[in-house]
Amino acid sequence: MTHPSKVPANPWLVLAGLSLGVLVTNGFGRFAYGLILPAMRADLDWTYAQAGWLNTANALGYIAGAVGTMLALRRRGPAGLFALGLAVTAVALVATSALPALWWQSLWRFLTGLFGALSFSTAGALAARLWADNPRLNALGIAILFGSGGGSAIVLCGATLPPMLAAWGDGSWRWAWVIVGVLSLAMAPLGLWAARRAPVPPRREVSAPPLPSGRMLAEYAGYAGFGLGYIVYLTFLSAWMKEQAASPLQVALVWVLLGGCITLSPMLWRGVFARHASGRPLAMVLSGIALGSALPVLWPTLPGLVVSAVIFGSCVFMAPSAVTNFSRKNLPPESWGSAISLFTVVFAVAQTIGPYAAGALGDLTGSIGTSLLAASAILLAGAAVAALQKPL
C-alpha cells in the first residue's frame, strides 16, 4: 500500500486548482449546454427529444468514464486520471463548435462526459486529503470543491451566453462553444498543477476487502434519484423560460443567481456535513433540489424563477459533497476513490435516462414544464430513500 504524501504548504491554492478542474469538466462540460441549447434547437430545428439526447450522450460517456475510473484506480493514482480528464475535456469543448451534424455533436458530448468523469470522480478523493485531520475544514473543502467550481462556471456562462446569443442570433451557438472551450484551456494549467501537488490518497489494492455496498444501498438509491432528476432542470430551464417569453436579460439574471448560490452553498451546508455520517445530508439536499425544480412551473413569473434559482442553486452541487462526505466518514482512506467512483457510476446511469425522457415527455405534452414537475417528484422519492441510510 502506498502512503499519503504530506499536505502541501498552501492547501487552499491546491483546492482552487482542483475546483477549476471541476469548473471545466462539470460546469462547462455539462451545464453550459443548457444555456446554448435554445439557440441550437432553434437554428438546427431540433425537437426536445433530440436536444435531450445530446445530454443523454454526455451521460453515456459519463458512465464509461466513471466505470473506467473505478477500475483504473486499482492500478493508477487519482492525480493522473484527474489531469487526463481535464485536458481532454477542454479540447472536446472547443471541438463541439466545428460541425452542426447531430452525430458530431453526439460524439463530442459523449467524449466530454467520458473524460469529465475521470476528473470529477477523482477530484473528491484528492481534496479529501488536504485537511485529513480536521473534519470541519475537510467538510468545507469538499463542499467548496464542488460548489465553487460548478457555480463559477454557471455564473460565467449565465452572465455572457444569453445576451451574446440574443445579440448575435441563434446561429452564433458555435461561437458560444468556442468561448467556453478557450476559457477551459486557459484554466487547465492551474488544475493540472494542483493534481500534482495534492496529497496522494492510499491506493486501494486489488486484494483489498470489497466495499460494504449492501449497507450503502439507501445512499446509492438516493444518489440515483439525484442523477435522474436534477439534470432536467439544468438542461431545460432556459427552454422553459423561452416558452414563457422571458427576455435574454431575465435568463441571464436567473442563471447568474443560480451559479452564485451554488458558489456560496458550501457555507450553508458545511455544518450539516460535519455533524452527520448518515444519509440525512443527502436527503435534505434532494428535498431542496425538488422544490427548486417545481417552482418554475408552480410560480411561472420572474420572482418565482428567482426563488427557484436560489433554492436549487443552494442545494444542487451539495449532493456530490454529501456522498463524498459520507464515504470519507464511513470508509478507510484507501476506499474513498473507489467508493466515490461507484457513486458516480450509479449517478451516471440514472442521469442517462433523464434528459431524453424529459425531452420526449415535453414533446408529448407540448410543454417542458411537465418534465420539471416529474423530475421534482423523482427527487422527493430519492430524498425519502436517502433518509433511511444509517452510518456504517
Side-chain angles (χ1 to χ4, degrees):
M1 179 183 297
T2 59
H3 296 283
S5 60
K6 294 181 180 179
V7 176
N10 193 337
W12 292 106
L13 184 58
V14 173
L15 181 66
L18 295 175
S19 296
L20 284 181
V22 173
L23 187 156
V24 171
T25 59
N26 202 49
F28 288 163
R30 196 181 308 168
F31 304 131
Y33 176 64
L35 282 160
I36 305 172
L37 179 151
M40 296 181 73
R41 183 170 175 262
D43 186 54
L44 303 175
D45 197 27
W46 286 345
T47 64
Y48 278 128
Q50 287 174 312
W53 156 252
L54 285 185
N55 255 5
T56 291
N58 181 258
L60 288 170
Y62 210 79
I63 293 174
V67 172
T69 302
M70 189 168 57
L71 297 175
L73 281 171
R74 290 178 174 267
R75 303 291 183 185
R76 297 189 59 183
L81 297 175
F82 177 91
L84 176 64
L86 173 57
V88 178
T89 299
V91 173
L93 290 171
V94 176
T96 305
S97 66
L99 291 174
L102 190 63
W103 70 267
W104 179 267
Q105 295 296 318
S106 300
L107 170 65
W108 290 105
R109 292 301 293 159
F110 177 87
L111 292 176
T112 299
L114 191 157
F115 287 96
L118 294 184
S119 285
F120 193 71
S121 297
T122 51
L126 292 171
R129 299 296 296 174
L130 291 174
W131 294 277
D133 298 325
N134 188 325
R136 199 164 186 86
L137 274 181
N138 196 288
L140 176 61
I142 291 170
I144 288 174
L145 172 74
F146 296 117
S148 65
S152 299
I154 290 175
V155 169
L156 287 170
C157 291
T160 57
L161 295 183
M164 186 206 83
L165 291 166
W168 294 1
D170 292 331
S172 63
W173 61 264
R174 290 187 177 186
W175 283 107
W177 284 117
V178 169
I179 291 170
V180 168
V182 169
L183 283 174
S184 298
L185 291 172
M187 294 174 182
L190 183 56
L192 298 176
W193 171 86
R196 294 196 301 272
R197 294 293 187 271
V200 181
R203 186 172 301 175
R204 182 177 173 83
E205 303 293 345
V206 175
S207 59
L211 295 171
S213 299
R215 298 170 58 201
M216 299 165 63
L217 286 179
E219 193 81 353
Y220 289 139
Y223 205 50
F226 168 65
L228 191 58
Y230 93 101
I231 192 64
V232 177
Y233 185 95
L234 290 171
T235 301
F236 290 114
L237 174 62
S238 292
W240 167 252
M241 293 184 71
K242 192 169 184 178
E243 280 189 15
Q244 306 306 305
S247 71
L249 288 180
Q250 289 174 331
V251 175
L253 170 65
V254 168
W255 278 84
V256 168
L257 280 173
L258 173 65
C261 289
I262 290 173
T263 303
L264 296 175
S265 59
M267 305 303 174
L268 302 176
W269 290 94
R270 61 177 177 172
V272 175
F273 293 155
R275 287 193 299 271
H276 296 287
S278 66
R280 182 177 296 180
L282 181 60
M284 294 170 64
V285 167
L286 293 181
S287 298
I289 301 172
L291 177 59
S293 296
L295 278 176
V297 184
L298 301 178
W299 190 4
T301 62
L302 184 59
L305 287 162
V306 166
V307 174
S308 166
V310 170
I311 295 174
F312 190 95
S314 297
C315 298
V316 64
F317 273 27
M318 293 300 96
S321 298
V323 298
T324 300
N325 189 67
F326 177 86
S327 301
R328 186 188 64 79
K329 287 200 165 190
N330 289 282
L331 298 170
E334 61 268 21
S335 294
W336 292 349
S338 296
I340 295 167
S341 295
L342 185 54
F343 272 117
T344 305
V345 171
V346 170
F347 158 80
V349 170
Q351 182 184 237
T352 302
I353 303 168
Y356 183 78
L361 182 59
D363 289 331
L364 182 66
T365 61
S367 173
I368 204 65
T370 310
S371 302
L372 290 169
L373 292 176
S376 178
I378 290 168
L379 287 159
L380 284 175
V385 175
L388 302 175
Q389 177 67 57
K390 304 297 183 185
L392 302 184

